[in-house]
């Protein structure tokens, strides 16, 4: 970069000034004009040498025998000084505007210059936001290309405004595929969104607290942007290079910046009028949660088969499946109850279809139990697991007299040493557990308790119907009567991201280990038919957890066990071991079988060193980052699908969990009608 002062008439300055007014010139012509115009003693040879120096660094161009200034150098120089000017304005002139209540007009030569200016301003705005109790950003933009060109920067910015409790409302005016991509990008990040046709002369209106930016594109530039958005069919066919050229095109325009409270309020109120549903007071929060739960119930009621589903496996077949999946060598009896009463009263859970199965009467359930019970040689299977399609301790699902008859049958078999049962925690009472221990006497009793996740709000929004208070009360009762217990921890329930699944599993395990459980069951979600999970999958809004995620969670649990000096087993439940379907936790076709075998082996022998050769999330990040300079390092990955796993995590790590209710509502509104798969 050549920098000079007009006050000091250097040879470079004289050459550029003369060529700027009289292009192109031969060196002889150039020397003559310089001698005529400037009082200098420079020789022809001196001009010749300096011209060659400028040609060598591409400041000048030579065409035949003529010399002229290189247009590319002019553009580069202009951008350089504009960048300095932009940064200077952000730090100084905008500061004056904020303090002195003045309006001003900013001039830009390219969209890229404007974008850089706004990025700097927004960084400064976030810093300044710490000095105010409330901060708000409202925007109305016709075509938003920032998520396309500046994705990483936008994710960082959205994370910062969430951390600083800055309210953000964005109204988009386009309807093309790229506009929809931008809408979904911000919606997934829980920005308050709306789409309305924009007919205003202003291409964009941006309000930051009491400052307003009004921008008008030149007609030719606006046409280029409009055509680029219109002609791009989807993100797979996007021409990123064309967007980079768009923001670099020289097309001077101005932006009016004002601090007029009346005008700012008018624009802000106009935009906020579209977001009244987002401006809820804290005392309305419970009403909002009830609304979300009602939406889930409605969606589930619209996802029903024409006929009841038949149980796929008999009790004995299920027992073999449990042995195969979990490495548990035990007897297994499936109790098909009169149905899940909670589902009948409050609607099904969004990931469960058990209540759609054919139901037995209490009498038929008991007859079926006896039939299976009498077929088992308990000398070979001293441990018995009773699995129900609801809750064993819910009196409406398993009537007390029928429950006691079953328990007495078990008590009468001296070969049975341990009985394993399962239930939600709210159905465990002192009287019921006291009765169980009285009937079974010295037999060991272990209760699998559903917990799912530690966060009460998240659990309520996915309709699980119990709280941590229920769980803690159930644990105290079980400890009182000497029963073992094993909590269930759910991996990636509906509406949560891959990254949230890892974090929430860690938080949940950290919570449960203080109760000294016998075992912890890790349960990655599997997509069942006729559920919200299946509906979300059909609309590309849900993917079961990666197997890499499960390994990452297991490593986190192992660290917690060592840190707190705990020793409990970890069992991995779910159907993913025996299926290659995309409806269960999976990686890719190239590594699924190998990784599932490792997970099954871990579930059997509890040796975390089985995964010693599997890269952690941190290691995968380092390799992918290093691959920018040396693509060859990608060979160090366990599988190329770890790149997809990392992308899944990074694309969602700035989405705030605090607005899960809005995320659920948006996802359900976005879904097209449920499509039944196969024969009902």
């Amino acid at each position: 970069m050549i920098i000079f002062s007009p006050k000091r008439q250097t040879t470079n300055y004289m050459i550029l000034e003369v060529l700027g007014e009289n292009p192109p010139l031969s060196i002889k012509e150039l020397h003559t004009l310089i001698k005529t115009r400037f009082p200098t003693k420079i020789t022809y040879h001196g001009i010749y040498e300096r011209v060659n120096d400028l040609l060598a660094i591409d400041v000048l161009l030579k065409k035949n025998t003529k010399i002229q200034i290189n247009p590319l150098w002019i553009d580069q120089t202009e951008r350089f000084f504009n960048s300095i000017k932009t940064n200077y304005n952000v730090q100084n002139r905008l500061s004056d505007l904020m303090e002195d209540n003045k309006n001003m007009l900013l001039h830009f030569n390219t969209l890229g210059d404007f974008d850089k200016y706004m990025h700097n301003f927004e960084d400064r705005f976030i810093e300044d936001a710490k000095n105010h109790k409330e901060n708000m950003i409202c925007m109305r933009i016709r075509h938003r290309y920032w998520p396309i060109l500046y994705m990483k920067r936008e994710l960082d910015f959205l994370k910062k405004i969430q951390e600083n409790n800055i309210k953000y409302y964005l109204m988009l005016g386009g309807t093309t595929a790229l506009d929809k991509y931008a809408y979904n990008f911000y919606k997934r990040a829980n920005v308050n969104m709306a789409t309305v046709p924009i007919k205003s002369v202003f291409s964009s209106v941006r309000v930051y607290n009491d400052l307003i930016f009004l921008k008008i594109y030149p007609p030719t530039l606006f046409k280029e942007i409009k055509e680029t958005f219109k002609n791009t069919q989807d993100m797979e066919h996007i021409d990123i290079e064309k967007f980079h050229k768009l923001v670099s095109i020289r097309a001077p325009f101005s932006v009016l910046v004002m601090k007029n409270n009346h005008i700012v309020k008018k624009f802000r109120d106009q935009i906020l009028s579209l977001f009244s549903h987002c401006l809820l007071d804290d005392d309305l929060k419970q009403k909002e949660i009830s609304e979300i739960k009602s939406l889930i119930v409605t969606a589930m009621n619209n996802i029903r088969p024409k006929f009841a589903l038949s149980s796929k496996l008999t009790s004995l077949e299920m027992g073999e499946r449990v042995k195969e999946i979990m490495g548990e060598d035990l007897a297994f009896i499936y109790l098909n109850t009169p149905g899940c009463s909670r589902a009948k009263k409050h609607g099904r859970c969004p990931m469960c279809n058990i209540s759609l199965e054919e139901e037995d009467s209490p009498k038929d359930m008991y007859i079926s139990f006896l039939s299976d019970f009498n077929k088992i040689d308990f000398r070979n299977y001293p441990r018995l697991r009773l699995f129900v399609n609801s809750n064993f301790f819910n009196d409406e699902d398993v009537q007390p007299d029928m429950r006691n008859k079953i328990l007495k049958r078990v008590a009468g078999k001296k070969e049975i040493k341990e009985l394993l049962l399962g239930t939600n925690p709210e159905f465990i009472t002192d009287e019921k557990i006291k009765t169980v221990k009285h009937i079974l006497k010295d037999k060991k009793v272990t209760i699998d308790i559903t917990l799912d996740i530690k966060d009460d709000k998240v659990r309520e929004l996915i309709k699980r119907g119990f709280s941590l208070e229920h769980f803690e009360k159930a644990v105290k009762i079980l400890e009182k009567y000497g029963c073992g217990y094993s909590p269930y921890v759910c991996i990636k329930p509906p509406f949560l991201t891959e990254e949230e699944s890892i974090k929430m599993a860690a938080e949940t395990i950290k919570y449960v280990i203080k109760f000294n459980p016998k075992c912890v069951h890790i349960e990655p979600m599997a997509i069942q038919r006729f559920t919200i999970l299946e509906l979300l999958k059909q609309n590309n809004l849900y993917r079961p957890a990666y197997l890499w995620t499960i390994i990452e969670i297991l490593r986190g649990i192992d660290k917690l066990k060592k840190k707190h000096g705990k020793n409990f087993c970890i069992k991995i439940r779910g159907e993913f071991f025996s299926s290659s379907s995309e409806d269960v936790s999976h990686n890719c076709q190239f590594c699924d079988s190998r990784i599932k075998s490792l997970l099954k082996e871990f579930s059997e022998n509890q040796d975390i060193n089985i995964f010693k050769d599997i890269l952690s999330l941190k290691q995968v990040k380092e390799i992918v980052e290093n691959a920018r300079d040396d693509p060859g390092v990608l060979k160090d990955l366990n599988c190329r699908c770890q790149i997809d796993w990392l992308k899944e995590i990074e694309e969602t790590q700035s989405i705030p969990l605090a607005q899960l209710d809005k995320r659920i509502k948006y996802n359900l509104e976005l879904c097209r009608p449920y499509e039944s798969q196969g024969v009902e």
Side-chain angles (χ1 to χ4, degrees), residues 406-656:
I406 290 172
L407 291 172
K408 287 174 183 178
R409 280 285 180 176
V410 173
K413 278 284 183 181
K414 63 181 181 179
E415 294 88 356
I416 298 177
K417 305 301 180 184
E418 181 181 8
L419 178 65
L420 297 96
L421 304 166
T423 187
N424 281 9
E426 71 268 35
F427 301 117
I428 292 179
T429 66
D430 191 287
E431 182 182 351
K432 291 173 185 175
I433 302 304
K434 182 180 180 180
T435 301
V436 170
K437 291 298 291 183
H438 176 73
I439 294 174
L440 295 178
K441 297 186 173 23
D442 295 331
K443 292 188 187 296
K444 191 175 180 180
V445 178
T446 300
I447 312 290
D448 294 339
I449 314 176
T450 304
L451 175 61
D452 288 338
I453 41 185
K454 179 189 174 186
D455 193 299
D456 271 342
K457 180 187 175 185
V458 175
R459 197 183 317 100
E460 184 176 8
L461 283 171
I462 60 174
K463 293 189 73 277
R464 296 303 278 160
F466 57 86
S467 65
L468 290 183
E469 185 179 350
H470 287 121
F471 177 80
E472 293 177 6
K473 182 180 177 182
V475 168
K476 288 180 180 179
I477 293 171
L478 294 173
E479 287 179 337
K480 176 181 177 181
Y481 290 100
C483 295
Y485 50 89
S486 302
Y488 280 56
V489 177
C490 179
I491 306 301
K492 203 173 181 182
F495 309 109
L496 295 190
T497 68
E498 200 85 12
E499 188 203 30
E500 288 166 352
S501 299
I502 296 173
K503 289 182 177 179
M504 297 196 80
E507 292 172 2
T508 306
I509 298 295
K510 188 175 181 180
Y511 165 75
V512 301
I513 61 175
K514 67 181 182 181
F515 299 103
N516 297 312
K518 173 187 176 183
C519 191
V520 174
H521 292 288
I522 302 297
E523 188 161 16
M525 282 288 92
I527 298 175
Q528 300 179 16
R529 293 185 63 206
F530 303 104
T531 61
I532 290 289
L533 275 187
E534 189 180 28
L535 178 66
L536 294 174
K537 182 202 168 191
Q538 289 179 357
N539 287 274
N540 298 315
L541 294 170
Y542 182 84
R543 182 204 189 278
Y546 279 86
L547 301 179
W548 308 121
T549 290
I550 299 172
I551 294 174
E552 194 75 9
I553 289 170
L554 293 175
R555 282 176 166 150
I557 296 174
D558 186 67
K559 289 179 182 178
L560 285 171
K561 287 171 66 175
K562 291 174 180 175
K563 180 180 178 180
H564 297 279
K566 302 293 184 179
N567 186 25
F568 54 86
C569 72
I570 307 167
K571 293 292 183 181
I572 308 171
R573 297 178 60 88
E575 298 182 78
F576 62 90
F577 290 125
S578 54
S579 172
S580 60
S581 166
E582 291 187 357
D583 289 344
V584 295
S585 288
H586 62 281
N587 286 340
C588 74
Q589 60 178 328
F590 301 108
C591 70
D592 261 3
S593 178
R594 178 169 59 91
I595 303 303
K596 286 179 180 180
S597 295
L598 289 178
L599 287 166
K600 181 180 178 182
E601 187 178 346
F602 171 82
S603 201
E604 292 172 353
N605 62 32
Q606 301 293 296
D607 183 8
I608 197 69
N609 291 321
I610 288 170
F611 307 119
K612 66 181 183 342
D613 295 327
I614 302 297
L615 298 173
S616 67
L617 176 60
K618 182 180 179 181
Q619 290 171 320
V620 172
K621 282 183 180 179
E622 290 174 353
I623 289 174
V624 173
E625 286 175 3
N626 292 336
R628 295 169 185 168
D629 300 321
D630 179 13
V633 300
L634 292 176
K635 70 179 187 308
D636 296 331
L637 293 172
N638 297 117
C639 181
R640 283 299 182 106
C641 72
Q642 285 180 322
I643 299 174
D644 298 326
W645 174 52
L646 177 62
K647 183 179 178 182
E648 174 83 12
I649 288 173
E650 289 187 335
E651 285 185 350
T652 59
Q653 62 186 183
S654 295
I655 298 179

Side-chain angles (χ1 to χ4, degrees), residues 158-159 161-163 165-169 186-193 275 277-279 285 288-289 292 455 457-458 461 495-496 500 654-667:
L158 293 171
K159 187 175 183 179
I161 66 172
Q162 177 68 25
E163 291 171 350
N165 297 315
I166 299 172
K167 297 176 182 177
Y168 190 9
Y169 301 91
Y186 289 105
K187 195 69 181 180
R188 282 196 299 269
N190 287 298
V191 174
N192 299 302
M193 297 295 300
F275 297 97
H277 64 285
C278 299
L279 307 174
K285 208 62 178 176
E288 187 180 25
I289 290 174
I292 298 300
D455 193 299
K457 180 187 175 185
V458 175
L461 283 171
F495 309 109
L496 295 190
E500 288 166 352
S654 295
I655 298 179
L657 181 62
Q659 297 186 23
L660 179 61
D661 44 4
K662 293 182 179 65
R663 190 193 308 177
I664 293 174
K665 186 174 182 181
Y666 166 68
N667 282 349

Side-chain angles (χ1 to χ4, degrees), residues 377-388:
D377 185 349
F378 289 103
R379 291 173 297 180
N380 298 325
Y381 298 99
R383 302 171 68 224
L384 170 63
R385 178 183 291 278
L386 296 181
F387 182 86
V388 298

Side-chain angles (χ1 to χ4, degrees), residues 26-62:
S26 67
I27 296 180
K28 183 177 181 181
E29 291 169 337
L30 178 61
H31 178 248
T32 301
L33 286 174
I34 288 176
K35 293 285 288 184
T36 303
R37 182 163 180 175
F38 298 100
T40 178
K41 296 179 180 180
I42 192 165
T43 64
Y44 173 87
H45 184 70
I47 295 292
Y48 177 83
E49 285 188 341
R50 194 52 55 90
V51 166
N52 280 330
D53 290 341
L54 295 176
L55 285 168
I57 59 174
D58 295 327
V59 174
L60 301 181
L61 286 177
K62 188 173 184 180

